[in-house]
Every structure is written in C-alpha cells, then in structure tokens.
Amino acid sequence: MWFATQDGLNKYTGRGFIQYDIQFEDVTRSTFSKLGKIYIDKLETLWVVSNSGQLEYYQKEIDSFQMVSNIIQVSTLIQDAAQNYYLGTYQNGIYKIHHKTKDTLQILNPKDAQRTVYDFLETKNNTILATTNDGIIEIKNTDCKFIEISSHTNFSALATSQNNTLFLGSYGKGLFVKQENNQSFKPFKGFTSYQLPDNLIIQDVLVDKQN
C-alpha cells in the first residue's frame, strides 16, 4: 500500500513502512487546488505527481523512481483503454503519450493550450473527459473540444454512475449533473429531503454501485 503524506511518500510492506524522498504539494483554496497524486496504470506501474508538478514512475526492480523530465507542471494523469497516457498540467494543457511509439504531443487547440486540468475520466464509449476552468474538455480519438459550463469556475472532479449519469464537481459552485440523453450539465440542487449548497467546494466525486 502506498500513502502520499505531508512527510513524503510511504509504502507499507505488510511488516512496516518504507519512506521515499518524494514530497507532495498540499494547497487547497476555495477556487482551486494543487495536490500531489498517486496513480496505478493498467500495467500496474505506479506514478506519482510530486512537488511543482514533477511526474515520476516507480521501477520495482531497483526500488527507485524515475523522473519524466520533458513535461513540467503535471497536475493529473490517466491511462485509457488503449493504454495511451493523458497528462493534465497547470496552465499548459494536455499531453498525450502513445503507448507504442512513446510520441508525446500537446493535443489541445492553441486557444486552449494554457488551460489547467484537475481531473480525467474515461467514459464507457472511450471518450476522455477533462475538468478545467469554465468547463470540460472532450477528447474523442484525435478530436478535442472545449465545452463551456459556467464561466469563472474551476471544475475539480468527474464521476459516472451505472446508468451513465455524469457528475461534475466544482470549486465554489457546487455539483453539476448530466443525464445520458441530455446535451448539457445542470446544477444539481440535491434531494427533496436535503438540498446541497450552491457554493459547495468539491474536491472529489465518487459514485458507488448503488448510484
């Protein structure tokens, strides 16, 4: 088990903890956050996003981490069903790494290339969605499209339910929802018996098997 803590990266072996000299950012404000990340890809490789957006991956054979130096200010990452990597950044858009050729490309249009990305989600039809300022980015094969949802808003997290409903968290504007057959996200006000605040600050979203 791996733990990102204020004291660094820790691994629990079953008998004790091993600490690695990797530090994480921990900045959360009402309108944005900069946090460290731990991610395990489909090949069971462990990736970490450490201080200042430094991306590193774990080499189990030598019990050490290797830096990825050609992309800076990484904020988050995902590996899609085809095993390609998508790297979100702080104010530097999205990079795609092809899993076979290792070609690394900035995939956003020039007008969107300076966006910050906070989270990724792959949908059941293999579309990649990325949360960003003012909306989300939709990636289908080689096409990228920015979808505006709410101006002057940073969107933090995405999750999908068993019935393909999308939930979108924001910093300071609460929760948004999009039903499968709807074209756009709408503010989610809560339930009849419990209303959600309009100014809710949402760091992450999770939908369980019971929806």
Side-chain angles (χ1 to χ4, degrees):
M1 297 179 68
W2 295 87
F3 301 88
T5 75
Q6 291 182 333
D7 296 323
L9 180 66
N10 293 268
K11 178 175 72 174
Y12 182 64
T13 64
R15 296 183 178 181
F17 285 91
I18 298 175
Q19 186 174 18
Y20 296 81
D21 187 21
I22 294 177
Q23 302 299 316
F24 297 94
E25 286 188 289
D26 184 8
V27 178
T28 301
R29 301 290 184 265
S30 60
T31 57
F32 75 97
S33 68
K34 294 186 75 172
L35 302 172
K37 296 286 193 308
I38 296 177
Y39 178 77
I40 297 178
D41 67 20
K42 292 175 170 53
L43 303 176
E44 298 297 320
T45 300
L46 174 75
W47 298 78
V48 298
V49 178
S50 60
N51 265 347
S52 300
Q54 176 64 60
L55 182 65
E56 306 180 45
Y57 63 92
Y58 181 59
Q59 295 177 300
K60 186 176 181 180
E61 299 80 7
I62 59 175
D63 190 28
S64 182
F65 283 84
Q66 177 67 43
M67 289 186 179
V68 178
S69 58
N70 61 328
I71 302 175
I72 61 173
Q73 290 293 319
V74 175
S75 57
T76 188
L77 72 153
I78 192 175
Q79 187 181 36
D80 68 11
Q83 299 186 13
N84 302 305
Y85 294 97
Y86 293 84
L87 309 181
T89 68
Y90 296 107
Q91 298 182 334
N92 201 23
I94 298 174
Y95 290 84
K96 179 181 179 180
I97 303 176
H98 192 278
H99 81 284
K100 289 184 178 179
T101 65
K102 308 304 180 186
D103 288 341
T104 303
L105 298 173
Q106 160 64 270
I107 63 173
L108 297 186
N109 298 321
K111 65 179 180 179
D112 294 321
Q114 294 183 342
R115 290 189 177 277
T116 291
V117 173
Y118 294 97
D119 192 26
F120 284 114
L121 174 73
E122 184 172 16
T123 66
K124 293 179 181 179
N125 65 357
N126 301 125
T127 298
I128 299 293
L129 302 177
T131 65
T132 185
N133 43 301
D134 301 339
I136 63 172
I137 297 166
E138 182 181 80
I139 305 168
K140 292 183 178 179
N141 299 319
T142 58
D143 296 327
C144 300
K145 180 174 67 174
F146 170 70
I147 301 171
E148 185 171 357
I149 297 171
S150 178
S151 61
H152 308 294
T153 305
N154 288 326
F155 288 93
S156 57
L158 276 161
T160 185
S161 68
Q162 297 293 317
N163 60 3
N164 297 326
T165 298
L166 286 170
F167 292 91
L168 176 64
S170 73
Y171 295 101
K173 293 288 186 68
L175 186 65
F176 291 72
V177 63
K178 178 182 175 294
Q179 305 292 338
E180 183 176 16
N181 297 323
N182 291 350
Q183 296 299 313
S184 60
F185 283 88
K186 303 294 183 183
F188 182 71
K189 301 296 185 180
F191 307 94
T192 303
S193 59
Y194 185 80
Q195 299 293 306
L196 293 178
D198 292 335
N199 61 348
L200 199 64
I201 299 169
I202 299 174
Q203 180 62 53
D204 205 354
V205 181
L206 175 66
V207 180
D208 65 19
K209 292 182 180 179
Q210 284 74 44
N211 288 324

